[in-house]
Amino acid sequence: MAKKTIVVKQIASPARRPDVQRQTLIGLGLNKMHKTRELEDTPAVRGMVNKIPHLVKIVEERG
């Protein structure tokens, strides 16, 4: 059974944001503008993305 994944792209800088938002980006594996990561679609990852919707966007859902 193939695992579902999502492609997440960083669309904004964490400059002048609370440190917890910067740490959430790092937890997702993002640290530079326009960088993308393919992550497993789990409730934990979705929760992290939902905490910082102004900094990231889901580009694609696979699986």
Side-chain angles (χ1 to χ4, degrees), residues 27-49:
L28 289 170
L30 300 170
N31 61 354
K32 293 185 170 120
M33 292 287 294
H34 309 295
K35 186 173 179 181
T36 61
R37 287 282 308 223
E38 184 172 354
L39 302 167
E40 189 174 341
D41 190 6
T42 63
V45 171
R46 287 285 183 159
M48 292 171 78
V49 170

Side-chain angles (χ1 to χ4, degrees), residues 9-27:
K9 180 177 182 178
Q10 183 176 344
I11 58 171
S13 170
R16 297 182 307 276
R17 303 278 185 199
D19 192 51
V20 69
Q21 293 179 5
R22 182 184 308 264
Q23 294 301 319
T24 303
L25 274 176
I26 292 169

Side-chain angles (χ1 to χ4, degrees), residues 1-7 38-39 41 60-63:
M1 181 174 156
K3 293 186 179 186
K4 293 173 68 173
T5 60
I6 57 174
V7 177
E38 184 172 354
L39 302 167
D41 190 6
E60 182 179 355
E61 296 184 22
R62 298 181 182 163

